[in-house]
Amino acid sequence: MQFTESAAHGPPPPLHPTLRAWPDFPYNSSSNKSGGGQLSSLTNAACMEQLLAHCAHAIDTHDATLAQQLLWVLHNIAPPDGDSNQRLTAAFLRALVLRASRSSSSPCAALAAALSDVNHDSPLTPLSLSPVSLAAFIDLTPWHRFGFSAANAAITDAADNFPVLHLVDLSTTYSMQLPTLIESLAARPEGAPFLRVTVASPPESTSPPPTLDMPLEQLGARLVNFARSRNVSMEFRVVPSTPADGFESLLEHLRLHQLVTDPASEALVINCHMMLHCTPDESAPPPETAQQTAAPIMLSSLRTMFLKALRALEPTVVVVVDEDADFTAGDVVGRLRAAFNYMWIPFDAVENLLPRGGEQRRRYEASVCWKIENSIAQEGVQRVERLETRGRWTQRMRGVGFRAVGFGEDAAGEVKSMLDEHSAGWGLKKDEEELILTWKGHDAVFASAWMPSSLR
């Protein structure tokens, strides 16, 4: 169900010659009898992607007239309560209107203000959930559960022969992975190690909704009590830190901790669950400090610098779980095409799972829409959805001195058992040392485990 061969860069190919003759927004399609046939012919996914790409190009080149016509067409062929392709397109339409509203061009900004009703009824109302409700939300699909299962298998293996397991949790899911990890540690015949958890607490603006309705410290107290009920001793510490500066405060905390810790007694495990891609890559602007001091252009991005800092900590294992797509194109058209050819997966996955108009569907798609709007409407440090493919992450990890260690058959078996609880469209494949979650044969999420090259 991929709609284009690759993410095109630069302006898209010419539009259909009749487009500029179509009625101007905001005429409703029901009142446009002559245009109905034309509109109905544009409702396949490939045409919707082309219209979105042309609209993005028109906005960025300040062609307000063409942008207005394209927005009208998209508004009429992509209702937010339609099928999965229409809902996908409606989400990108909202993102483009938001991008136009932030344009430095007065015609495009004025156009966005006039077209505020294009935003339909945006589902992006801030939403906070209790831990129980958030866990139920995550359990709807294996999007996160896949990574939880694979990572927990690698984490428990890393804890072998260590009296202390120090887990550094870099996750967008508010430590929802920990209960199953605690259960796994408690079930070990030799008993559980002491579990020390350090959690990075980034600003909520860097994570998709829903958020947690309580401070992480309060959640940590509950997790400590849960661990105690399973005869697992546990410590939970929250370190305010942001991916915008490469988690500088977290790294400093870990360095200081290592000064007073015997490395032979503690397994240091870094669990990166869909948060690494929020660190600025080479396409991001340099940090403000570099701009203020007129420093030369950095040869390494903060993303690479963070991975090098992790390598310097000599961790026992680093687990990387992330979405397998490339949202790093500098031009919005290329980024839009890449996102459109990836974000159809979560929309399609719930088409027959959750009823239209239901609260669960609204919450789920709000999270997906947030990612689309961030990758398309935002720029600079505000754009944190900078996904990279698993191949690129492999290059990065090897480049800073890690080697892949892979997952055993037990890990793959646990993931397969978990997938049996979900729709038949979800699948699992193994590519060299990585596990990959697929939807209808298309790669969605990957999991990989890494050790410093010098360690065995």
Side-chain angles (χ1 to χ4, degrees):
M1 199 169 170
Q2 183 164 339
F3 307 125
T4 57
E5 292 298 323
S6 62
H9 296 272
L15 280 167
H16 192 281
T18 64
L19 180 60
R20 286 187 179 272
W22 289 358
D24 288 318
F25 181 90
Y27 296 158
N28 188 279
S29 60
S30 62
S31 64
N32 177 23
K33 305 300 183 181
S34 63
Q38 290 172 307
L39 291 180
S40 63
S41 68
L42 298 173
T43 55
N44 68 75
C47 285
M48 288 178 173
E49 180 191 351
Q50 283 294 92
L51 290 170
L52 288 167
H54 282 290
C55 188
H57 186 255
I59 290 171
D60 271 25
T61 55
H62 314 308
D63 188 341
T65 300
L66 180 57
Q68 181 182 17
Q69 292 182 322
L70 289 164
L71 287 169
W72 173 85
V73 174
L74 288 163
H75 175 65
N76 281 278
I77 66 175
D81 58 351
D83 63 26
S84 59
N85 286 335
Q86 290 172 318
R87 299 196 312 279
L88 171 69
T89 302
F92 278 90
L93 175 57
R94 281 188 295 268
L96 289 176
V97 171
L98 184 58
R99 184 178 182 85
S101 71
R102 295 173 177 174
S103 171
S104 59
S105 164
S106 55
C108 279
L111 171 64
L115 306 184
S116 58
D117 64 321
V118 162
N119 249 357
H120 302 295
D121 295 319
S122 177
L124 300 187
T125 305
L127 176 66
S128 293
L129 298 179
S130 69
V132 173
S133 296
L134 182 58
F137 171 85
I138 288 171
D139 285 348
L140 287 174
T141 74
W143 200 265
H144 291 290
R145 293 188 69 199
F146 158 78
F148 291 177
S149 296
N152 284 346
I155 293 168
T156 53
D157 285 347
D160 286 346
N161 303 318
F162 286 95
V164 178
L165 169 60
H166 185 182
L167 176 67
V168 180
D169 194 27
L170 291 170
S171 171
T172 59
T173 59
Y174 300 94
S175 298
M176 290 294 107
Q177 178 178 342
L178 291 184
T180 52
L181 175 62
I182 292 169
E183 296 273 15
S184 297
L185 294 174
R188 292 175 14 138
E190 67 273 28
F194 179 85
L195 178 58
R196 173 176 289 121
V197 178
T198 301
V199 177
S201 177
E204 288 186 358
S205 61
T206 63
S207 297
T211 60
L212 188 66
D213 70 350
M214 65 175 62
L216 273 174
E217 291 82 357
Q218 185 177 345
L219 175 70
R222 293 190 180 187
L223 287 169
V224 168
N225 288 335
F226 173 76
R228 186 180 299 118
S229 73
R230 300 299 190 271
N231 296 316
V232 176
S233 299
M234 177 178 170
E235 170 189 293
F236 189 94
R237 182 183 298 273
V238 178
V239 179
S241 193
T242 173
D245 64 3
F247 297 102
E248 184 176 337
S249 58
L250 174 67
L251 290 170
E252 183 62 22
H253 170 84
L254 295 176
R255 294 186 190 105
L256 292 175
H257 175 76
Q258 285 195 330
L259 293 176
V260 296
T261 303
D262 177 9
S265 66
E266 182 175 282
L268 176 61
V269 177
I270 315 295
N271 181 50
C272 304
H273 185 93
M274 301 195 186
M275 192 179 281
L276 272 188
H277 71 249
C278 297
T279 55
D281 66 338
E282 288 79 3
S283 68
E288 291 184 7
T289 53
Q291 296 176 7
Q292 293 167 356
T293 59
I297 297 176
M298 295 183 298
L299 296 179
S300 295
S301 66
L302 279 174
R303 186 169 295 184
T304 297
M305 294 167 65
F306 174 68
L307 294 178
K308 287 181 177 179
L310 288 186
R311 176 61 182 82
L313 294 173
E314 294 283 344
T316 308
V317 70
V318 177
V319 182
V320 178
V321 175
D322 220 316
E323 295 157 319
D324 195 2
D326 184 358
F327 288 8
T328 61
D331 66 295
V332 69
V333 173
R335 210 158 61 239
L336 182 147
R337 289 192 184 278
F340 193 86
N341 281 278
Y342 178 74
M343 299 307 292
W344 69 270
I345 295 176
F347 278 98
D348 191 58
V350 297
E351 177 67 11
N352 297 315
L353 175 66
L354 301 175
R356 297 185 189 184
E359 182 64 17
Q360 283 186 317
R361 169 78 74 91
R362 187 187 71 82
R363 290 175 177 177
Y364 177 86
E365 293 190 352
S367 178
V368 181
C369 289
W370 184 93
K371 296 174 72 68
I372 292 172
E373 291 195 2
N374 184 270
S375 61
I376 301 302
Q378 302 284 6
E379 292 293 352
V381 294
Q382 286 74 34
R383 179 160 66 86
V384 298
E385 287 297 311
R386 297 174 179 270
L387 302 179
E388 289 187 310
T389 63
R390 58 189 172 91
R392 180 61 179 134
W393 282 114
T394 295
Q395 292 176 354
R396 287 188 184 278
M397 296 299 287
R398 288 176 176 166
V400 300
F402 286 102
R403 63 180 178 87
V405 293
F407 297 89
E409 290 302 317
D410 289 345
E414 289 180 20
V415 173
K416 288 178 181 177
S417 296
M418 180 273 298
L419 291 180
D420 288 340
E421 303 172 18
H422 294 278
S423 303
W426 295 105
L428 174 69
K429 72 178 186 181
K430 190 171 183 179
D431 185 359
E432 295 183 351
E433 306 296 336
E434 298 169 325
L435 294 179
I436 304 162
L437 175 69
T438 64
W439 172 253
K440 296 182 178 179
H442 295 270
D443 295 357
V445 180
F446 70 90
S448 58
W450 303 86
M451 292 176 60
S453 298
S454 60
L455 297 184
R456 297 187 180 274

